Amino acid sequence: MPEHLDPSEQSALRLLSRSPHPYHRQNTELLDPSDNFAYRPPDRNPREVTPSSDSGTEADDEHFLKGLPAPRRLRKGLRGRNEVLSGTSTPIPSPALLEEEGRRLSYNLKKEVHMGQKSRSPAETLRRRKEIIRRLTELFVIGFVGAVVYTNTNVRPILRRWNQDLYVWLGVSVGLVLLYPLRLVIWAYRRRTPSRKIPVSIPSSFDPAPLFYPPAVTLFVSLLLSVDNEAVLLPNIMLAISSLPPSLIPTVSNLDRVCDPLHWALSCAPLLRSRVRARGATSLPVDISLETATLLYPLHQSLCSVLYSLTTTSLLPAELQLLSISLINLLFLSSSPQAVILKSMLWVGGLDILVSCSYAIRWGISLARVPKWRFKKTTAPSKPASTFLSAIMPWRRVRHDLFHAPVDSSSCSSCEAFDDHEDSDSPGLAASRGPFRVKTMPDGGDSTAPEGNRIIPTDGRRHVPSNIIDAKPVSAPLRRHTLPGMENTSRKSHTYTPSGRRKRTASSSVRAFFSLTHEQAVFRKWIYAVYVYVCIAGAVFLPFHFVGVRVAVMDGALHGHEPVGWALGYLFGDLPWFRFEVVSRNLERWICLPPRQTDDTEYFKSMGWVERIRQSYLGEANTRLVLSAYFAIVIAVGLTVVFRLSPIYEVDTRRKVFHFMMVAMFLPATYVDPTFVALALSIVLAVFLLLDLLRASQLPPLSKPLASFLAPYVDGRDLRGPVVISHIFLLIGCAIPLWLSLGSLPRTGTGYLEGWGVPTREASMVSGVICVGLGDAAASLIGRRYGQRKWYWGGGKSLEGSIAFAVAVFLGLAAARLWLRIGGWPETNGNSDTWGTSAQKMGVCAATASLTEAVLTGGNDNVVVPVILWTCVKSLGV
């Protein structure tokens, strides 16, 4: 036992030690009565026995609390005694949680004052100070990003026009936050008499991310997008209020409701203000109807519930809120063809698969959880009919004549002939299964002749051979126990453990498959898999409105053109042989061919050299083919490098190869054809989600290959729940800045390509690729190898890694701006800054993103940090 530990810690460690001699303890080492491990016959309603809690609430109810059930663990795995649950988030502590913390602190305070010690240990004080500094830094970063957004000259007029609505949001949020401690005090004085005048104590594990990021990020992004369309601002103000943590809202009843009436009314306050302001106007400043805007709050809450049921613990609360807000914006405010296609795949296809395949996928997962040995055993084939030779010369008689073996095979092994009574399920059956256990230590009872040790069952249902009855007691294979004083040993229970706890049983959804054989289970898996694949194909190709993705894309994004024919013309329309085949076979109504290239030299002179090559020499469709081939080459080379590095480098290093692949693919190609890159990212995201659904469903034949491919590259965030989020969030982090930039730019194009042209470019398009591909990879590689100085608040982030992140982002933005100038594309804001001014702006953006990545805990850095970087780059006009 370590000598440097306190006596209390030594005793706690002694209780957790696994001694090979449990009966050789000293008197001071004996366990408490509630921790006794001796066997007790189980009762009908056994009480669960758990060790004492470390919460500090056992001041007056110590023995009572020791008998309470153990708290439910949020995650599986081993943890230390003082380790905080990883992967969880505490958006706002409930009054009961804070009161529990207060009771814990008050109990410890009384105990330590009684012992003449200080009220709080120095380590705990230092840890709380670090957390306070970390949260204040996080709040400072959010406020600084808001100030950067305010510096944008295009945003200021919008802020002046919508200041009243923003004040409503600010007043509701600040009022609820300030009212929350008062509610806690009132709750504490109503329920009990607290030990302190103000019984409020914020735990050091409190994470304010669900309070900060969903409203702030929503408003920052909507303000920048409202420069082109102010219709996006009011719904996002309502969604910002809807995303406030439910614990901040006073409740009038304890009913578990999805939608709180007061929260619903508060979310509609900006809408009422806009109605009053717009009475003299010709139309409302929003595109969605009044009824739709009123239902934004229940839609948001219901969508969060559905997403949580699908992802469970894979997403943190802040990520769940941001995902729901993004999907609602995509549903109601998407207008460009790329956004409509993404909406069709996520909303139409996703809802179709959710409704039609949810039960089949749930059954497939339950069936996969059943081990093979739990399935029903196949019935053994009947014995073959005896032949003429075996009837004349039985094998047992031959063995007896040649080897002098006994004729009755049951006498060769008594332990095989008779089962132990503990393995039976009924006492009657146990009594008819041969010899019982005997005691070898008399306890004052009747100790008679050896015949007392020989018990002959009297039940006539089973015949006992005579050679067993006449056998001597010495030769009988009788088991014995050596514990004195136990007259009758109760049989082993299949429901309770020897300590009296109820055994864990399989869920009802799993037990339903125990009656199947292994062959039947495999056949049923394939039935579920075929049904799911048929439903997926139907969700894509069914010719019904609001059911098939193909029809939704045709009507919403392609102006009535058939998607397959449109895609063929979009990719192969500039190939001469393809155009000839289409025209000769009269397929022009189905396949949309681009117009022939013009010879207007003045038109091409006004373009940059890259755009001139794209339109006058290669053609737009051929350029897309070239980009597709380039993407395929980069992916092939990247996978080859990853497979070559597998036996040499660790997993994290191999994962960063995928980050560099994203940079190599999208940093040079985004400016060439941004709409094509956005469409490719949307399709790949839908494919990733679909493949991960098939992997999680554990249905053949794709589930096992996908799981085997992804297994070497998962990290701790992927193990929080059923969804492997690393590759999905990597793709989303690269795509969101591009999608947001395209949502704020004007569109060009004629004919079947209307809305597919973007006349200008900006550096914010590639900010996600730079942040995720360069910044995150540099921070990980440099920080793990050279990171010696940690941030003041601790954690896994180092100063060296954060500096590497900032430098990589700065160099990436400089390369993007250089490529924008060299390519000759016109910039959106007509940027005329010198390289010195641009360097200052890029330094501010890189430092802000690096600090956000270092302080962020309540969200995934591959999603939140790219959005923050895009906000800074877009606001400063880099």
Side-chain angles (χ1 to χ4, degrees):
M1 187 65 60
E3 300 295 338
H4 65 278
L5 298 178
D6 296 334
S8 60
E9 296 181 353
Q10 290 183 1
S11 61
L13 186 59
R14 187 180 295 109
L15 288 178
L16 297 177
S17 64
R18 298 181 178 180
S19 173
H21 306 289
Y23 302 107
H24 295 171
R25 296 179 182 270
Q26 303 296 329
N27 292 333
T28 57
E29 297 178 357
L30 292 179
L31 302 177
D32 293 336
S34 61
D35 296 326
N36 193 1
F37 292 100
Y39 173 81
R40 296 186 181 88
D43 301 329
R44 290 183 178 272
N45 297 317
R47 183 184 66 178
E48 295 186 1
V49 180
T50 57
S52 60
S53 173
D54 292 333
S55 61
T57 58
E58 58 269 37
D60 299 323
D61 305 322
E62 182 175 358
H63 300 288
F64 169 73
L65 289 178
K66 285 185 178 181
L68 291 178
R72 294 182 61 186
R73 300 180 64 177
L74 299 181
R75 290 181 55 206
K76 296 180 180 180
L78 298 177
R79 297 184 179 89
R81 295 174 62 243
N82 299 323
E83 183 178 347
V84 182
L85 290 175
S86 62
T88 60
S89 179
T90 55
I92 286 293
S94 63
L97 179 61
L98 290 184
E99 180 64 16
E100 182 74 16
E101 186 77 11
R103 291 179 60 193
R104 181 188 310 172
L105 294 178
S106 63
Y107 169 71
N108 292 336
L109 181 60
K110 292 179 182 179
K111 179 178 178 182
E112 292 173 353
V113 169
H114 178 72
M115 298 176 61
Q117 298 178 357
K118 296 183 179 180
S119 61
R120 185 176 296 170
S121 63
E124 177 67 18
T125 303
L126 180 62
R127 189 165 70 93
R128 294 181 67 88
R129 184 184 299 116
K130 290 180 179 179
E131 286 298 323
I132 291 174
I133 294 176
R134 182 173 193 163
R135 302 312 173 190
L136 291 178
T137 306
E138 198 168 10
L139 184 61
F140 167 76
V141 170
I142 296 176
F144 180 78
V145 174
V148 170
V149 173
Y150 181 77
T151 58
N152 190 286
T153 56
N154 297 323
V155 173
R156 289 181 184 177
I158 299 175
L159 287 174
R160 286 193 294 266
R161 287 193 296 269
W162 291 84
N163 57 354
Q164 298 295 329
D165 305 86
L166 294 173
Y167 287 154
V168 171
W169 163 76
L170 187 62
V172 169
S173 303
V174 174
L176 291 175
V177 171
L178 296 180
L179 185 63
Y180 189 74
L182 180 61
R183 291 174 50 216
L184 291 180
V185 174
I186 296 175
W187 184 91
Y189 276 97
R190 282 185 177 179
R191 298 298 179 91
R192 59 180 59 88
T193 303
S195 59
R196 295 182 299 175
K197 293 183 179 180
I198 303 179
V200 177
S201 178
I202 301 178
S204 57
S205 59
F206 168 65
D207 188 5
L211 179 62
F212 290 162
Y213 288 104
V217 171
T218 301
L219 290 179
F220 294 160
V221 173
S222 60
L223 282 173
L224 292 174
L225 294 180
S226 62
V227 175
D228 183 66
N229 182 17
E230 293 189 19
V232 304
L233 190 56
L234 181 60
N236 281 280
I237 295 176
M238 300 176 63
L239 290 173
I241 298 177
S242 301
S243 65
L244 293 175
S247 300
L248 288 178
I249 310 300
T251 56
V252 295
S253 64
N254 294 328
L255 297 178
D256 188 10
R257 300 177 178 176
V258 178
C259 298
D260 185 81
L262 181 57
H263 200 175
W264 193 350
L266 291 176
S267 67
C268 295
L271 183 63
L272 298 177
R273 176 65 190 176
S274 296
R275 289 288 296 178
V276 172
R277 187 187 61 180
R279 283 177 181 174
T282 57
S283 62
L284 286 175
V286 293
D287 289 340
I288 61 176
S289 63
L290 179 63
E291 292 79 7
T292 304
T294 306
L295 297 176
L296 286 179
Y297 169 76
L299 176 61
H300 172 69
Q301 297 298 326
S302 302
L303 187 57
C304 286
S305 301
V306 172
L307 293 174
Y308 178 77
S309 65
L310 294 176
T311 60
T312 61
T313 55
S314 296
L315 297 181
L316 297 177
E319 299 169 352
L320 201 65
Q321 297 281 343
L322 288 173
L323 178 59
S324 176
I325 292 173
S326 302
L327 290 175
I328 293 175
N329 276 276
L330 185 66
L331 177 63
F332 292 113
L333 301 176
S334 58
S335 58
S336 64
Q338 299 80 31
V340 172
I341 292 175
L342 181 61
K343 178 183 72 173
S344 301
M345 291 187 294
L346 296 183
W347 275 99
V348 179
L351 287 179
D352 291 345
I353 296 174
L354 178 63
V355 172
S356 60
C357 302
S358 58
Y359 285 102
I361 292 174
R362 191 179 306 167
W363 294 335
I365 294 174
S366 300
L367 187 57
R369 292 173 57 192
V370 181
K372 292 182 179 179
W373 62 271
R374 292 301 299 267
F375 288 117
K376 181 181 177 182
K377 300 295 186 297
T378 56
T379 57
S382 60
K383 295 183 179 180
S386 59
T387 61
F388 177 75
L389 182 61
S390 64
I392 295 178
M393 188 180 298
W395 170 245
R396 293 181 181 178
R397 176 61 60 183
V398 173
R399 291 177 66 245
H400 176 72
D401 294 339
L402 296 178
F403 307 106
H404 302 283
V407 178
D408 194 346
S409 62
S410 63
S411 61
C412 64
S413 179
S414 301
C415 60
E416 294 178 2
F418 300 100
D419 295 334
D420 183 39
H421 77 286
E422 281 196 353
D423 298 332
S424 62
D425 293 333
S426 60
L429 183 60
S432 64
R433 289 189 177 181
F436 279 74
R437 295 184 178 182
V438 297
K439 292 171 49 178
T440 59
M441 294 184 180
D443 53 353
D446 186 13
S447 179
T448 59
E451 285 79 0
N453 293 337
R454 195 160 37 123
I455 302 176
I456 302 175
T458 60
D459 193 351
R461 290 178 298 177
R462 179 169 180 174
H463 175 69
V464 181
S466 60
N467 61 339
I468 297 300
I469 299 176
D470 297 335
K472 294 182 180 181
V474 178
S475 61
L478 301 177
R479 299 181 182 179
R480 65 181 185 177
H481 63 76
T482 58
L483 294 179
M486 300 184 66
E487 185 66 26
N488 294 322
T489 303
S490 61
R491 65 184 181 87
K492 183 170 61 177
S493 174
H494 296 276
T495 310
Y496 300 99
T497 62
S499 62
R501 290 188 180 182
R502 188 176 182 87
K503 292 182 179 179
R504 294 182 59 186
T505 58
S507 61
S508 59
S509 61
V510 175
R511 288 200 305 268
F513 298 101
F514 287 174
S515 60
L516 301 177
T517 63
H518 179 64
E519 292 75 13
Q520 292 173 343
V522 173
F523 179 71
R524 187 167 294 193
K525 281 183 181 180
W526 278 99
I527 291 178
Y528 295 154
V530 171
Y531 173 78
V532 170
Y533 295 142
V534 169
C535 291
I536 291 174
V540 176
F541 297 106
L542 279 179
F544 301 111
H545 293 279
F546 306 107
V547 175
V549 175
R550 186 179 65 87
V551 177
V553 171
M554 180 175 61
D555 296 339
L558 304 181
H559 309 288
H561 296 93
E562 205 280 326
V564 177
W566 182 92
L568 292 175
Y570 186 70
L571 291 176
F572 306 102
D574 286 332
L575 296 176
W577 65 267
F578 182 81
R579 297 178 68 95
F580 175 78
E581 291 292 335
V582 170
V583 174
S584 62
R585 299 178 185 273
N586 198 18
L587 298 177
E588 292 178 297
R589 289 189 175 183
W590 178 44
I591 299 177
C592 302
L593 296 177
R596 292 187 176 275
Q597 302 171 3
T598 62
D599 297 331
D600 190 358
T601 56
E602 297 295 333
Y603 173 73
F604 289 120
K605 286 182 179 179
S606 60
M607 300 179 181
W609 65 273
V610 177
E611 191 69 15
R612 189 183 309 117
I613 293 176
R614 172 175 173 259
Q615 292 195 11
S616 63
Y617 294 100
L618 289 177
E620 295 183 3
N622 289 338
T623 305
R624 299 182 191 108
L625 287 178
V626 172
L627 291 179
S628 300
Y630 171 71
F631 294 160
I633 293 173
V634 172
I635 292 173
V637 173
L639 291 178
T640 303
V641 172
V642 169
F643 294 149
R644 291 288 184 89
L645 296 180
S646 296
I648 303 174
Y649 291 96
E650 56 188 2
V651 176
D652 193 73
T653 303
R654 286 180 277 135
R655 284 164 54 94
K656 301 310 171 186
V657 176
F658 295 102
H659 291 241
F660 292 126
M661 288 168 55
M662 302 295 285
V663 176
M665 284 191 296
F666 299 120
L667 186 58
T670 300
Y671 289 155
V672 177
D673 196 342
T675 56
F676 172 69
V677 174
L679 177 63
L681 290 173
S682 302
I683 296 175
V684 173
L685 175 61
V687 172
F688 277 7
L689 294 175
L690 188 59
L691 291 179
D692 200 73
L693 175 65
L694 297 177
R695 180 203 58 82
S697 64
Q698 304 186 37
L699 294 176
L702 297 178
S703 175
K704 289 186 178 180
L706 290 173
S708 301
F709 177 77
L710 293 176
Y713 310 107
V714 298
D715 62 357
R717 291 174 296 185
D718 299 322
L719 302 177
R720 288 191 313 215
V723 182
V724 179
I725 61 176
S726 292
H727 62 291
I728 298 176
F729 278 4
L730 174 64
L731 180 67
I732 291 177
C734 295
I736 281 183
L738 176 59
W739 293 338
L740 294 177
S741 297
L742 292 178
S744 62
L745 297 179
R747 297 302 183 92
T748 59
T750 58
Y752 80 102
L753 291 178
E754 182 181 354
W756 288 85
V758 180
T760 59
R761 308 288 191 270
E762 58 186 19
S764 62
M765 290 180 174
V766 295
S767 58
V769 177
I770 293 171
C771 181
V772 175
L774 292 178
D776 186 74
S780 177
L781 296 176
I782 300 299
R784 286 189 299 109
R785 285 164 175 77
Y786 306 103
Q788 301 293 332
R789 300 173 181 84
K790 301 296 182 180
W791 285 90
Y792 177 74
W793 46 79
K797 310 293 184 180
S798 64
L799 291 174
E800 291 82 359
S802 298
I803 293 175
F805 185 98
V807 172
V809 171
F810 178 84
L811 295 178
L813 290 175
R817 179 175 172 79
L818 181 63
W819 173 231
L820 188 63
R821 291 288 181 90
I822 293 176
W825 289 284
E827 300 185 31
T828 302
N829 52 3
N831 194 350
S832 58
D833 294 336
T834 62
W835 276 101
T837 305
S838 299
Q840 295 178 2
K841 293 181 179 180
M842 290 185 289
V844 172
C845 296
T848 304
S850 177
L851 187 58
T852 304
E853 193 266 346
V855 78
L856 179 65
T857 56
N860 193 288
D861 53 356
N862 285 343
V863 176
V864 177
V865 180
V867 176
I868 295 296
L869 180 60
W870 177 86
T871 304
C872 295
V873 174
K874 182 76 173 178
S875 301
L876 296 178
V878 176

